Amino acid sequence: MRCLGLMSGTSADGVDAVLVEFQGRIDQPHWRLIRHHHHPYPDALRDRLIAAGQGQPMPAEEWLALSETTTENQAAAADACDPDASAALVGCHGQTVWHRPPQQGRRGASWQLLQGPLLAAQLRRPVVHDFRAADLALGGQGAPLVPAADAALLGRIGGC
């Protein structure tokens, strides 16, 4: 199965996309990197995302436009990395605006800008999104795919 992953972080420098093929058992898959691509955000978008994350007031209409533009840039990264639309599934957590891991009795929270259904419509394939919210609600750090992916793809290592 081919999957396309999209990642962007608080640096707001752009979207990193990877196209990977998985085969074998789900708990120990064999994988092959097919292609990767970095899609830089335009300077104006990067500046708006950083300002939003730092609390610059914006009317709701501007938040909506920012979300749409961010989603469109995620789609552009996907198209550049997988021009033949060979991935059966796309994973994208969205653009991190603010992330607060759990600390001293305070629950974690994360705000990701992405319109998942819009991205799915633009790419014409299923999009799995908003990974962080459920993990944080259950007391995690907001990176639920990392431990499972590391164990399956890199294997177990010994330690004390």
Side-chain angles (χ1 to χ4, degrees), residues 6 8 83 98 107-108 113 131 140 144 150:
L6 304 171
S8 56
W98 190 259
R107 110 176 109 246
L113 275 185
F131 314 132
D150 283 355

Side-chain angles (χ1 to χ4, degrees), residues 6-70:
L6 304 171
M7 174 71 178
S8 56
T10 52
S11 67
D13 63 338
V15 182
D16 291 307
V18 296
L19 180 61
V20 180
E21 185 159 356
F22 295 96
Q23 295 178 344
R25 294 182 6 206
I26 195 165
D27 61 335
Q28 291 184 325
H30 298 283
W31 59 279
R32 178 174 65 97
L33 176 65
I34 298 168
R35 189 177 297 114
H36 62 88
H37 174 76
H38 175 73
H39 176 82
Y41 283 144
D43 289 342
L45 175 57
R46 181 180 188 276
D47 292 346
R48 287 173 59 206
L49 288 167
I50 290 173
Q54 294 185 358
Q56 178 180 329
M58 275 195 294
E61 182 178 0
E62 287 183 34
W63 275 110
L64 181 60
L66 183 58
S67 178
E68 288 173 331
T69 302
T70 300

Side-chain angles (χ1 to χ4, degrees), residues 94-106:
Q95 172 61 51
T96 303
V97 175
W98 190 259
H99 182 75
R100 183 189 71 214
Q103 53 193 343
Q104 300 173 344
R106 187 173 186 193

Side-chain angles (χ1 to χ4, degrees), residues 52-145:
Q54 294 185 358
Q56 178 180 329
M58 275 195 294
E61 182 178 0
E62 287 183 34
W63 275 110
L64 181 60
L66 183 58
S67 178
E68 288 173 331
T69 302
T70 300
T71 301
E72 291 162 356
N73 274 265
Q74 298 275 348
D79 288 339
C81 188
D82 186 14
D84 301 323
S86 64
L89 182 68
V90 177
C92 180
H93 71 71
Q95 172 61 51
T96 303
V97 175
W98 190 259
H99 182 75
R100 183 189 71 214
Q103 53 193 343
Q104 300 173 344
R106 187 173 186 193
R107 110 176 109 246
S110 196
W111 189 2
Q112 314 302 315
L113 275 185
L114 182 74
Q115 294 184 23
L118 174 60
L119 183 60
Q122 289 182 332
L123 299 178
R124 293 179 303 285
R125 50 200 143 153
V127 173
V128 179
H129 60 95
D130 200 16
F131 314 132
R132 292 182 177 230
D135 186 61
L136 286 160
L138 295 171
Q141 296 292 312
L145 301 181

